Amino acid sequence: MRIEVTRDVFKLAEVFTISRGSRTEAKVLTVRLHAGGVTGWGECVPYARYGETLESVTAEIEALPGDITRRSLYDLLPAGAARNAVDCALWDLEAKQAGKRVWELAGLAQPGPEITAYTLSLASPAEMQVQAAKHAHRPLLKIKLGTPDDMPRLEAVRAGAPKSTIIVDANEGWSAEVYADLAPHLVRLGVALVEQPLPAGEDDALIGLDRPVPVCADESAHDRASLPKLKGKYDVVNVKLDKTGGLTEALALRDAARAEGYDVMVGCMVGSSLAMAPATLVAKGATIVDLDGPLLLAEDRDEPLIFDKAGVHPPVAGLWG
C-alpha cells in the first residue's frame, strides 16, 4: 500500500473567531491510501492546542509502514489528527474493496440526516446579534464565547434568534467564578449546553459546582482513556474524530461514554465534507450534533455533504465510505 499526504486549504466564507484567535481559511491534510487499484482517503485538521502542526502530523503519517491496518495503527500512533486521517482512509479503502458502505462493515444501521448546530464565531454583541438574526431559521445555534464580558453577547444572540436552541462553547475561556455567575443567566436565556467552560487543566473546579445547564467536556475528552478524569465534572462528552484518532475510536468512545451515563455530543474542527463524513456515522442518537464545518467554508470537496432542513445527511459513496 502506498501512503500519500497532501495539504489542502479551503477559504472560509467569513472570518472565524474563538477565544484563542481568528482564521480566514481551513488548513487540512488529506491522506490517500493506494492499494490494488483502489484509493481510500481521509482528512484531518492538525490543531495547535494539542501541539500539532501540518509538518508534525505529515511526518507521523509518512513514517507509517505500507502494511498498516486499523488494528496495527493503534500501536503506532496516539489519538490525534494523524491517526484520524489514516483510520478514516482505511475504512474508506476497505469499503471500496468490499463493495459495501462503511456502516455495513462496522455493523451499524444505515445513518440518516441529523440536525446540526450552526456556529456563530466570537464578535461584538451587535455583530453577533446580526449573525443570529441571519441564521434564526436554524433550529440549533452554537455561540463561541470565552471572555469575561460574555453576557451582552448572550443577550444579543437570544434577541436575534428568539426561537433557536442555543448551546455555548467557551473554549476554556472562563473561570469557575465566571461560570457560576453566568449559570443563572444561561438558564434564563434557554441555553441547552455549555462546552468546556474551564481550561482542561483546571477543570477539577467543576467538582461539586452546581451545573443547572449540562456541561460538556471537549478539550478535556479525547478518547476512552479520558473518561475516568471526567467523573463529577461533566454531563456530556464531545466526540471529535481529530481527538479520538479516527472513526474506530470515536465509535468506541461514544459507546463507552453512554455506558458510563454521559450524554454524547459529536463535534468537529473546521474542515471539509471529507472530515465530517465519517462523523455522521457517530452522530446517530447523539444529544447534540455539531458537524457544520462545511457550512463555514466558501469552497468544499466534490460531492460534498448535503445540508437541508432535515440536517446533515450521510455521505454519498463518491465522497467517502
Side-chain angles (χ1 to χ4, degrees), residues 53-79:
T53 66
L54 292 167
E55 293 76 17
S56 69
V57 173
T58 298
E60 285 185 282
I61 297 168
E62 289 182 337
L64 292 171
D67 59 351
I68 193 77
T69 66
R70 283 191 290 109
R71 179 168 294 181
S72 65
L73 184 60
Y74 267 64
D75 298 325
L76 295 170
L77 287 177

mmCIF file with all atom_site columns, all heavy atoms in Angstrom, residues 53-79:
data_model
loop_
_atom_site.group_PDB
_atom_site.id
_atom_site.type_symbol
_atom_site.label_atom_id
_atom_site.label_alt_id
_atom_site.label_comp_id
_atom_site.label_asym_id
_atom_site.label_entity_id
_atom_site.label_seq_id
_atom_site.pdbx_PDB_ins_code
_atom_site.Cartn_x
_atom_site.Cartn_y
_atom_site.Cartn_z
_atom_site.occupancy
_atom_site.B_iso_or_equiv
_atom_site.pdbx_formal_charge
_atom_site.auth_seq_id
_atom_site.auth_comp_id
_atom_site.auth_asym_id
_atom_site.auth_atom_id
_atom_site.pdbx_PDB_model_num
ATOM 1   N N   . THR A 1 53 ? 1.094   20.342 14.272 1.00 0.00 ? 53 THR A N   1
ATOM 2   C CA  . THR A 1 53 ? 1.276   21.226 13.129 1.00 0.00 ? 53 THR A CA  1
ATOM 3   C C   . THR A 1 53 ? 1.081   20.417 11.850 1.00 0.00 ? 53 THR A C   1
ATOM 4   O O   . THR A 1 53 ? 1.110   19.172 11.883 1.00 0.00 ? 53 THR A O   1
ATOM 5   C CB  . THR A 1 53 ? 2.671   21.857 13.106 1.00 0.00 ? 53 THR A CB  1
ATOM 6   O OG1 . THR A 1 53 ? 3.651   20.817 12.899 1.00 0.00 ? 53 THR A OG1 1
ATOM 7   C CG2 . THR A 1 53 ? 2.969   22.592 14.414 1.00 0.00 ? 53 THR A CG2 1
ATOM 8   N N   . LEU A 1 54 ? 0.930   21.104 10.728 1.00 0.00 ? 54 LEU A N   1
ATOM 9   C CA  . LEU A 1 54 ? 0.842   20.400 9.446  1.00 0.00 ? 54 LEU A CA  1
ATOM 10  C C   . LEU A 1 54 ? 2.091   19.554 9.229  1.00 0.00 ? 54 LEU A C   1
ATOM 11  O O   . LEU A 1 54 ? 2.013   18.409 8.747  1.00 0.00 ? 54 LEU A O   1
ATOM 12  C CB  . LEU A 1 54 ? 0.671   21.404 8.308  1.00 0.00 ? 54 LEU A CB  1
ATOM 13  C CG  . LEU A 1 54 ? -0.655  22.173 8.263  1.00 0.00 ? 54 LEU A CG  1
ATOM 14  C CD1 . LEU A 1 54 ? -0.561  23.345 7.295  1.00 0.00 ? 54 LEU A CD1 1
ATOM 15  C CD2 . LEU A 1 54 ? -1.806  21.247 7.853  1.00 0.00 ? 54 LEU A CD2 1
ATOM 16  N N   . GLU A 1 55 ? 3.243   20.105 9.617  1.00 0.00 ? 55 GLU A N   1
ATOM 17  C CA  . GLU A 1 55 ? 4.510   19.396 9.405  1.00 0.00 ? 55 GLU A CA  1
ATOM 18  C C   . GLU A 1 55 ? 4.637   18.181 10.309 1.00 0.00 ? 55 GLU A C   1
ATOM 19  O O   . GLU A 1 55 ? 5.036   17.088 9.860  1.00 0.00 ? 55 GLU A O   1
ATOM 20  C CB  . GLU A 1 55 ? 5.682   20.354 9.647  1.00 0.00 ? 55 GLU A CB  1
ATOM 21  C CG  . GLU A 1 55 ? 5.808   21.486 8.651  1.00 0.00 ? 55 GLU A CG  1
ATOM 22  C CD  . GLU A 1 55 ? 4.797   22.603 8.861  1.00 0.00 ? 55 GLU A CD  1
ATOM 23  O OE1 . GLU A 1 55 ? 4.196   22.674 9.974  1.00 0.00 ? 55 GLU A OE1 1
ATOM 24  O OE2 . GLU A 1 55 ? 4.581   23.406 7.931  1.00 0.00 ? 55 GLU A OE2 1
ATOM 25  N N   . SER A 1 56 ? 4.299   18.333 11.592 1.00 0.00 ? 56 SER A N   1
ATOM 26  C CA  . SER A 1 56 ? 4.471   17.217 12.522 1.00 0.00 ? 56 SER A CA  1
ATOM 27  C C   . SER A 1 56 ? 3.517   16.068 12.201 1.00 0.00 ? 56 SER A C   1
ATOM 28  O O   . SER A 1 56 ? 3.904   14.893 12.275 1.00 0.00 ? 56 SER A O   1
ATOM 29  C CB  . SER A 1 56 ? 4.256   17.693 13.966 1.00 0.00 ? 56 SER A CB  1
ATOM 30  O OG  . SER A 1 56 ? 2.902   18.034 14.220 1.00 0.00 ? 56 SER A OG  1
ATOM 31  N N   . VAL A 1 57 ? 2.299   16.402 11.839 1.00 0.00 ? 57 VAL A N   1
ATOM 32  C CA  . VAL A 1 57 ? 1.325   15.358 11.525 1.00 0.00 ? 57 VAL A CA  1
ATOM 33  C C   . VAL A 1 57 ? 1.688   14.664 10.216 1.00 0.00 ? 57 VAL A C   1
ATOM 34  O O   . VAL A 1 57 ? 1.566   13.437 10.081 1.00 0.00 ? 57 VAL A O   1
ATOM 35  C CB  . VAL A 1 57 ? -0.104  15.953 11.477 1.00 0.00 ? 57 VAL A CB  1
ATOM 36  C CG1 . VAL A 1 57 ? -1.105  14.916 10.991 1.00 0.00 ? 57 VAL A CG1 1
ATOM 37  C CG2 . VAL A 1 57 ? -0.498  16.448 12.870 1.00 0.00 ? 57 VAL A CG2 1
ATOM 38  N N   . THR A 1 58 ? 2.156   15.433 9.228  1.00 0.00 ? 58 THR A N   1
ATOM 39  C CA  . THR A 1 58 ? 2.610   14.829 7.973  1.00 0.00 ? 58 THR A CA  1
ATOM 40  C C   . THR A 1 58 ? 3.738   13.833 8.239  1.00 0.00 ? 58 THR A C   1
ATOM 41  O O   . THR A 1 58 ? 3.748   12.724 7.696  1.00 0.00 ? 58 THR A O   1
ATOM 42  C CB  . THR A 1 58 ? 3.093   15.915 6.994  1.00 0.00 ? 58 THR A CB  1
ATOM 43  O OG1 . THR A 1 58 ? 2.008   16.782 6.672  1.00 0.00 ? 58 THR A OG1 1
ATOM 44  C CG2 . THR A 1 58 ? 3.641   15.299 5.715  1.00 0.00 ? 58 THR A CG2 1
ATOM 45  N N   . ALA A 1 59 ? 4.668   14.219 9.075  1.00 0.00 ? 59 ALA A N   1
ATOM 46  C CA  . ALA A 1 59 ? 5.798   13.333 9.384  1.00 0.00 ? 59 ALA A CA  1
ATOM 47  C C   . ALA A 1 59 ? 5.329   12.050 10.064 1.00 0.00 ? 59 ALA A C   1
ATOM 48  O O   . ALA A 1 59 ? 5.843   10.955 9.766  1.00 0.00 ? 59 ALA A O   1
ATOM 49  C CB  . ALA A 1 59 ? 6.795   14.072 10.280 1.00 0.00 ? 59 ALA A CB  1
ATOM 50  N N   . GLU A 1 60 ? 4.368   12.159 10.968 1.00 0.00 ? 60 GLU A N   1
ATOM 51  C CA  . GLU A 1 60 ? 3.826   10.965 11.633 1.00 0.00 ? 60 GLU A CA  1
ATOM 52  C C   . GLU A 1 60 ? 3.230   10.000 10.613 1.00 0.00 ? 60 GLU A C   1
ATOM 53  O O   . GLU A 1 60 ? 3.424   8.781  10.692 1.00 0.00 ? 60 GLU A O   1
ATOM 54  C CB  . GLU A 1 60 ? 2.747   11.369 12.636 1.00 0.00 ? 60 GLU A CB  1
ATOM 55  C CG  . GLU A 1 60 ? 3.229   11.980 13.923 1.00 0.00 ? 60 GLU A CG  1
ATOM 56  C CD  . GLU A 1 60 ? 2.072   12.225 14.878 1.00 0.00 ? 60 GLU A CD  1
ATOM 57  O OE1 . GLU A 1 60 ? 1.331   13.219 14.679 1.00 0.00 ? 60 GLU A OE1 1
ATOM 58  O OE2 . GLU A 1 60 ? 1.897   11.415 15.807 1.00 0.00 ? 60 GLU A OE2 1
ATOM 59  N N   . ILE A 1 61 ? 2.485   10.547 9.676  1.00 0.00 ? 61 ILE A N   1
ATOM 60  C CA  . ILE A 1 61 ? 1.802   9.700  8.694  1.00 0.00 ? 61 ILE A CA  1
ATOM 61  C C   . ILE A 1 61 ? 2.801   9.080  7.720  1.00 0.00 ? 61 ILE A C   1
ATOM 62  O O   . ILE A 1 61 ? 2.727   7.886  7.397  1.00 0.00 ? 61 ILE A O   1
ATOM 63  C CB  . ILE A 1 61 ? 0.737   10.515 7.938  1.00 0.00 ? 61 ILE A CB  1
ATOM 64  C CG1 . ILE A 1 61 ? -0.348  10.995 8.911  1.00 0.00 ? 61 ILE A CG1 1
ATOM 65  C CG2 . ILE A 1 61 ? 0.119   9.687  6.813  1.00 0.00 ? 61 ILE A CG2 1
ATOM 66  C CD1 . ILE A 1 61 ? -1.289  12.029 8.327  1.00 0.00 ? 61 ILE A CD1 1
ATOM 67  N N   . GLU A 1 62 ? 3.759   9.883  7.270  1.00 0.00 ? 62 GLU A N   1
ATOM 68  C CA  . GLU A 1 62 ? 4.710   9.378  6.267  1.00 0.00 ? 62 GLU A CA  1
ATOM 69  C C   . GLU A 1 62 ? 5.654   8.336  6.848  1.00 0.00 ? 62 GLU A C   1
ATOM 70  O O   . GLU A 1 62 ? 6.258   7.563  6.093  1.00 0.00 ? 62 GLU A O   1
ATOM 71  C CB  . GLU A 1 62 ? 5.491   10.550 5.680  1.00 0.00 ? 62 GLU A CB  1
ATOM 72  C CG  . GLU A 1 62 ? 4.636   11.443 4.777  1.00 0.00 ? 62 GLU A CG  1
ATOM 73  C CD  . GLU A 1 62 ? 5.427   12.590 4.153  1.00 0.00 ? 62 GLU A CD  1
ATOM 74  O OE1 . GLU A 1 62 ? 6.478   12.954 4.725  1.00 0.00 ? 62 GLU A OE1 1
ATOM 75  O OE2 . GLU A 1 62 ? 4.968   13.114 3.122  1.00 0.00 ? 62 GLU A OE2 1
ATOM 76  N N   . ALA A 1 63 ? 5.764   8.281  8.169  1.00 0.00 ? 63 ALA A N   1
ATOM 77  C CA  . ALA A 1 63 ? 6.630   7.286  8.807  1.00 0.00 ? 63 ALA A CA  1
ATOM 78  C C   . ALA A 1 63 ? 5.955   5.923  8.952  1.00 0.00 ? 63 ALA A C   1
ATOM 79  O O   . ALA A 1 63 ? 6.605   4.949  9.347  1.00 0.00 ? 63 ALA A O   1
ATOM 80  C CB  . ALA A 1 63 ? 7.070   7.794  10.183 1.00 0.00 ? 63 ALA A CB  1
ATOM 81  N N   . LEU A 1 64 ? 4.673   5.834  8.636  1.00 0.00 ? 64 LEU A N   1
ATOM 82  C CA  . LEU A 1 64 ? 3.948   4.571  8.794  1.00 0.00 ? 64 LEU A CA  1
ATOM 83  C C   . LEU A 1 64 ? 4.382   3.551  7.748  1.00 0.00 ? 64 LEU A C   1
ATOM 84  O O   . LEU A 1 64 ? 4.707   3.909  6.615  1.00 0.00 ? 64 LEU A O   1
ATOM 85  C CB  . LEU A 1 64 ? 2.435   4.818  8.667  1.00 0.00 ? 64 LEU A CB  1
ATOM 86  C CG  . LEU A 1 64 ? 1.780   5.618  9.792  1.00 0.00 ? 64 LEU A CG  1
ATOM 87  C CD1 . LEU A 1 64 ? 0.348   5.973  9.410  1.00 0.00 ? 64 LEU A CD1 1
ATOM 88  C CD2 . LEU A 1 64 ? 1.804   4.851  11.103 1.00 0.00 ? 64 LEU A CD2 1
ATOM 89  N N   . PRO A 1 65 ? 4.352   2.253  8.089  1.00 0.00 ? 65 PRO A N   1
ATOM 90  C CA  . PRO A 1 65 ? 4.689   1.207  7.119  1.00 0.00 ? 65 PRO A CA  1
ATOM 91  C C   . PRO A 1 65 ? 3.566   1.020  6.105  1.00 0.00 ? 65 PRO A C   1
ATOM 92  O O   . PRO A 1 65 ? 2.410   1.380  6.347  1.00 0.00 ? 65 PRO A O   1
ATOM 93  C CB  . PRO A 1 65 ? 4.857   -0.034 8.001  1.00 0.00 ? 65 PRO A CB  1
ATOM 94  C CG  . PRO A 1 65 ? 3.966   0.219  9.171  1.00 0.00 ? 65 PRO A CG  1
ATOM 95  C CD  . PRO A 1 65 ? 4.044   1.701  9.422  1.00 0.00 ? 65 PRO A CD  1
ATOM 96  N N   . GLY A 1 66 ? 3.899   0.413  4.989  1.00 0.00 ? 66 GLY A N   1
ATOM 97  C CA  . GLY A 1 66 ? 2.920   0.230  3.929  1.00 0.00 ? 66 GLY A CA  1
ATOM 98  C C   . GLY A 1 66 ? 1.926   -0.879 4.190  1.00 0.00 ? 66 GLY A C   1
ATOM 99  O O   . GLY A 1 66 ? 0.950   -1.019 3.435  1.00 0.00 ? 66 GLY A O   1
ATOM 100 N N   . ASP A 1 67 ? 2.147   -1.670 5.235  1.00 0.00 ? 67 ASP A N   1
ATOM 101 C CA  . ASP A 1 67 ? 1.214   -2.764 5.530  1.00 0.00 ? 67 ASP A CA  1
ATOM 102 C C   . ASP A 1 67 ? 0.302   -2.416 6.710  1.00 0.00 ? 67 ASP A C   1
ATOM 103 O O   . ASP A 1 67 ? -0.173  -3.302 7.429  1.00 0.00 ? 67 ASP A O   1
ATOM 104 C CB  . ASP A 1 67 ? 1.968   -4.054 5.810  1.00 0.00 ? 67 ASP A CB  1
ATOM 105 C CG  . ASP A 1 67 ? 2.932   -3.928 6.994  1.00 0.00 ? 67 ASP A CG  1
ATOM 106 O OD1 . ASP A 1 67 ? 3.141   -2.793 7.484  1.00 0.00 ? 67 ASP A OD1 1
ATOM 107 O OD2 . ASP A 1 67 ? 3.479   -4.964 7.428  1.00 0.00 ? 67 ASP A OD2 1
ATOM 108 N N   . ILE A 1 68 ? 0.062   -1.148 6.919  1.00 0.00 ? 68 ILE A N   1
ATOM 109 C CA  . ILE A 1 68 ? -0.730  -0.688 8.055  1.00 0.00 ? 68 ILE A CA  1
ATOM 110 C C   . ILE A 1 68 ? -2.160  -1.217 7.989  1.00 0.00 ? 68 ILE A C   1
ATOM 111 O O   . ILE A 1 68 ? -2.748  -1.352 6.907  1.00 0.00 ? 68 ILE A O   1
ATOM 112 C CB  . ILE A 1 68 ? -0.735  0.865  8.105  1.00 0.00 ? 68 ILE A CB  1
ATOM 113 C CG1 . ILE A 1 68 ? -1.274  1.377  9.426  1.00 0.00 ? 68 ILE A CG1 1
ATOM 114 C CG2 . ILE A 1 68 ? -1.511  1.464  6.940  1.00 0.00 ? 68 ILE A CG2 1
ATOM 115 C CD1 . ILE A 1 68 ? -0.310  1.272  10.537 1.00 0.00 ? 68 ILE A CD1 1
ATOM 116 N N   . THR A 1 69 ? -2.716  -1.551 9.154  1.00 0.00 ? 69 THR A N   1
ATOM 117 C CA  . THR A 1 69 ? -4.125  -1.928 9.283  1.00 0.00 ? 69 THR A CA  1
ATOM 118 C C   . THR A 1 69 ? -4.734  -1.080 10.391 1.00 0.00 ? 69 THR A C   1
ATOM 119 O O   . THR A 1 69 ? -4.022  -0.446 11.167 1.00 0.00 ? 69 THR A O   1
ATOM 120 C CB  . THR A 1 69 ? -4.282  -3.412 9.650  1.00 0.00 ? 69 THR A CB  1
ATOM 121 O OG1 . THR A 1 69 ? -3.742  -3.627 10.964 1.00 0.00 ? 69 THR A OG1 1
ATOM 122 C CG2 . THR A 1 69 ? -3.580  -4.311 8.637  1.00 0.00 ? 69 THR A CG2 1
ATOM 123 N N   . ARG A 1 70 ? -6.035  -1.090 10.484 1.00 0.00 ? 70 ARG A N   1
ATOM 124 C CA  . ARG A 1 70 ? -6.670  -0.315 11.555 1.00 0.00 ? 70 ARG A CA  1
ATOM 125 C C   . ARG A 1 70 ? -6.239  -0.807 12.929 1.00 0.00 ? 70 ARG A C   1
ATOM 126 O O   . ARG A 1 70 ? -6.104  -0.019 13.860 1.00 0.00 ? 70 ARG A O   1
ATOM 127 C CB  . ARG A 1 70 ? -8.207  -0.358 11.411 1.00 0.00 ? 70 ARG A CB  1
ATOM 128 C CG  . ARG A 1 70 ? -8.731  0.544  10.319 1.00 0.00 ? 70 ARG A CG  1
ATOM 129 C CD  . ARG A 1 70 ? -10.246 0.707  10.368 1.00 0.00 ? 70 ARG A CD  1
ATOM 130 N NE  . ARG A 1 70 ? -10.928 -0.524 9.990  1.00 0.00 ? 70 ARG A NE  1
ATOM 131 C CZ  . ARG A 1 70 ? -11.599 -1.306 10.808 1.00 0.00 ? 70 ARG A CZ  1
ATOM 132 N NH1 . ARG A 1 70 ? -11.672 -1.018 12.101 1.00 0.00 ? 70 ARG A NH1 1
ATOM 133 N NH2 . ARG A 1 70 ? -12.207 -2.394 10.363 1.00 0.00 ? 70 ARG A NH2 1
ATOM 134 N N   . ARG A 1 71 ? -6.020  -2.090 13.062 1.00 0.00 ? 71 ARG A N   1
ATOM 135 C CA  . ARG A 1 71 ? -5.605  -2.633 14.354 1.00 0.00 ? 71 ARG A CA  1
ATOM 136 C C   . ARG A 1 71 ? -4.166  -2.243 14.672 1.00 0.00 ? 71 ARG A C   1
ATOM 137 O O   . ARG A 1 71 ? -3.852  -1.794 15.784 1.00 0.00 ? 71 ARG A O   1
ATOM 138 C CB  . ARG A 1 71 ? -5.758  -4.150 14.362 1.00 0.00 ? 71 ARG A CB  1
ATOM 139 C CG  . ARG A 1 71 ? -5.325  -4.802 15.680 1.00 0.00 ? 71 ARG A CG  1
ATOM 140 C CD  . ARG A 1 71 ? -5.771  -6.242 15.753 1.00 0.00 ? 71 ARG A CD  1
ATOM 141 N NE  . ARG A 1 71 ? -7.227  -6.356 15.806 1.00 0.00 ? 71 ARG A NE  1
ATOM 142 C CZ  . ARG A 1 71 ? -7.888  -7.497 15.888 1.00 0.00 ? 71 ARG A CZ  1
ATOM 143 N NH1 . ARG A 1 71 ? -7.226  -8.639 15.915 1.00 0.00 ? 71 ARG A NH1 1
ATOM 144 N NH2 . ARG A 1 71 ? -9.203  -7.511 15.920 1.00 0.00 ? 71 ARG A NH2 1
ATOM 145 N N   . SER A 1 72 ? -3.262  -2.376 13.724 1.00 0.00 ? 72 SER A N   1
ATOM 146 C CA  . SER A 1 72 ? -1.865  -2.037 13.989 1.00 0.00 ? 72 SER A CA  1
ATOM 147 C C   . SER A 1 72 ? -1.666  -0.536 14.144 1.00 0.00 ? 72 SER A C   1
ATOM 148 O O   . SER A 1 72 ? -0.725  -0.088 14.807 1.00 0.00 ? 72 SER A O   1
ATOM 149 C CB  . SER A 1 72 ? -0.967  -2.573 12.868 1.00 0.00 ? 72 SER A CB  1
ATOM 150 O OG  . SER A 1 72 ? -1.248  -1.945 11.625 1.00 0.00 ? 72 SER A OG  1
ATOM 151 N N   . LEU A 1 73 ? -2.554  0.245  13.562 1.00 0.00 ? 73 LEU A N   1
ATOM 152 C CA  . LEU A 1 73 ? -2.466  1.701  13.643 1.00 0.00 ? 73 LEU A CA  1
ATOM 153 C C   . LEU A 1 73 ? -2.492  2.178  15.097 1.00 0.00 ? 73 LEU A C   1
ATOM 154 O O   . LEU A 1 73 ? -1.814  3.138  15.470 1.00 0.00 ? 73 LEU A O   1
ATOM 155 C CB  . LEU A 1 73 ? -3.619  2.328  12.858 1.00 0.00 ? 73 LEU A CB  1
ATOM 156 C CG  . LEU A 1 73 ? -3.670  3.849  12.732 1.00 0.00 ? 73 LEU A CG  1
ATOM 157 C CD1 . LEU A 1 73 ? -2.423  4.387  12.038 1.00 0.00 ? 73 LEU A CD1 1
ATOM 158 C CD2 . LEU A 1 73 ? -4.937  4.271  11.974 1.00 0.00 ? 73 LEU A CD2 1
ATOM 159 N N   . TYR A 1 74 ? -3.276  1.484  15.929 1.00 0.00 ? 74 TYR A N   1
ATOM 160 C CA  . TYR A 1 74 ? -3.384  1.861  17.348 1.00 0.00 ? 74 TYR A CA  1
ATOM 161 C C   . TYR A 1 74 ? -2.058  1.733  18.082 1.00 0.00 ? 74 TYR A C   1
ATOM 162 O O   . TYR A 1 74 ? -1.796  2.455  19.043 1.00 0.00 ? 74 TYR A O   1
ATOM 163 C CB  . TYR A 1 74 ? -4.436  0.993  18.038 1.00 0.00 ? 74 TYR A CB  1
ATOM 164 C CG  . TYR A 1 74 ? -5.807  1.602  18.050 1.00 0.00 ? 74 TYR A CG  1
ATOM 165 C CD1 . TYR A 1 74 ? -6.495  1.832  16.867 1.00 0.00 ? 74 TYR A CD1 1
ATOM 166 C CD2 . TYR A 1 74 ? -6.421  1.965  19.243 1.00 0.00 ? 74 TYR A CD2 1
ATOM 167 C CE1 . TYR A 1 74 ? -7.754  2.401  16.866 1.00 0.00 ? 74 TYR A CE1 1
ATOM 168 C CE2 . TYR A 1 74 ? -7.677  2.534  19.258 1.00 0.00 ? 74 TYR A CE2 1
ATOM 169 C CZ  . TYR A 1 74 ? -8.346  2.746  18.069 1.00 0.00 ? 74 TYR A CZ  1
ATOM 170 O OH  . TYR A 1 74 ? -9.583  3.319  18.079 1.00 0.00 ? 74 TYR A OH  1
ATOM 171 N N   . ASP A 1 75 ? -1.216  0.804  17.641 1.00 0.00 ? 75 ASP A N   1
ATOM 172 C CA  . ASP A 1 75 ? 0.074   0.598  18.293 1.00 0.00 ? 75 ASP A CA  1
ATOM 173 C C   . ASP A 1 75 ? 1.136   1.567  17.786 1.00 0.00 ? 75 ASP A C   1
ATOM 174 O O   . ASP A 1 75 ? 2.183   1.731  18.413 1.00 0.00 ? 75 ASP A O   1
ATOM 175 C CB  . ASP A 1 75 ? 0.562   -0.832 18.066 1.00 0.00 ? 75 ASP A CB  1
ATOM 176 C CG  . ASP A 1 75 ? -0.371  -1.866 18.668 1.00 0.00 ? 75 ASP A CG  1
ATOM 177 O OD1 . ASP A 1 75 ? -0.948  -1.568 19.738 1.00 0.00 ? 75 ASP A OD1 1
ATOM 178 O OD2 . ASP A 1 75 ? -0.521  -2.949 18.078 1.00 0.00 ? 75 ASP A OD2 1
ATOM 179 N N   . LEU A 1 76 ? 0.859   2.211  16.651 1.00 0.00 ? 76 LEU A N   1
ATOM 180 C CA  . LEU A 1 76 ? 1.867   3.048  16.013 1.00 0.00 ? 76 LEU A CA  1
ATOM 181 C C   . LEU A 1 76 ? 1.634   4.538  16.203 1.00 0.00 ? 76 LEU A C   1
ATOM 182 O O   . LEU A 1 76 ? 2.593   5.318  16.165 1.00 0.00 ? 76 LEU A O   1
ATOM 183 C CB  . LEU A 1 76 ? 1.923   2.736  14.511 1.00 0.00 ? 76 LEU A CB  1
ATOM 184 C CG  . LEU A 1 76 ? 2.394   1.322  14.164 1.00 0.00 ? 76 LEU A CG  1
ATOM 185 C CD1 . LEU A 1 76 ? 2.170   1.039  12.684 1.00 0.00 ? 76 LEU A CD1 1
ATOM 186 C CD2 . LEU A 1 76 ? 3.864   1.155  14.511 1.00 0.00 ? 76 LEU A CD2 1
ATOM 187 N N   . LEU A 1 77 ? 0.381   4.943  16.398 1.00 0.00 ? 77 LEU A N   1
ATOM 188 C CA  . LEU A 1 77 ? 0.069   6.365  16.538 1.00 0.00 ? 77 LEU A CA  1
ATOM 189 C C   . LEU A 1 77 ? -0.866  6.584  17.724 1.00 0.00 ? 77 LEU A C   1
ATOM 190 O O   . LEU A 1 77 ? -1.781  5.797  17.948 1.00 0.00 ? 77 LEU A O   1
ATOM 191 C CB  . LEU A 1 77 ? -0.589  6.915  15.267 1.00 0.00 ? 77 LEU A CB  1
ATOM 192 C CG  . LEU A 1 77 ? 0.291   7.119  14.035 1.00 0.00 ? 77 LEU A CG  1
ATOM 193 C CD1 . LEU A 1 77 ? -0.566  7.612  12.865 1.00 0.00 ? 77 LEU A CD1 1
ATOM 194 C CD2 . LEU A 1 77 ? 1.434   8.077  14.314 1.00 0.00 ? 77 LEU A CD2 1
ATOM 195 N N   . PRO A 1 78 ? -0.671  7.670  18.453 1.00 0.00 ? 78 PRO A N   1
ATOM 196 C CA  . PRO A 1 78 ? -1.593  8.005  19.544 1.00 0.00 ? 78 PRO A CA  1
ATOM 197 C C   . PRO A 1 78 ? -2.868  8.627  18.995 1.00 0.00 ? 78 PRO A C   1
ATOM 198 O O   . PRO A 1 78 ? -2.957  8.957  17.797 1.00 0.00 ? 78 PRO A O   1
ATOM 199 C CB  . PRO A 1 78 ? -0.794  9.027  20.354 1.00 0.00 ? 78 PRO A CB  1
ATOM 200 C CG  . PRO A 1 78 ? 0.032   9.730  19.316 1.00 0.00 ? 78 PRO A CG  1
ATOM 201 C CD  . PRO A 1 78 ? 0.418   8.650  18.327 1.00 0.00 ? 78 PRO A CD  1
ATOM 202 N N   . ALA A 1 79 ? -3.844  8.799  19.856 1.00 0.00 ? 79 ALA A N   1
ATOM 203 C CA  . ALA A 1 79 ? -5.051  9.522  19.459 1.00 0.00 ? 79 ALA A CA  1
ATOM 204 C C   . ALA A 1 79 ? -4.662  10.918 18.987 1.00 0.00 ? 79 ALA A C   1
ATOM 205 O O   . ALA A 1 79 ? -3.826  11.578 19.604 1.00 0.00 ? 79 ALA A O   1
ATOM 206 C CB  . ALA A 1 79 ? -6.020  9.615  20.631 1.00 0.00 ? 79 ALA A CB  1
#
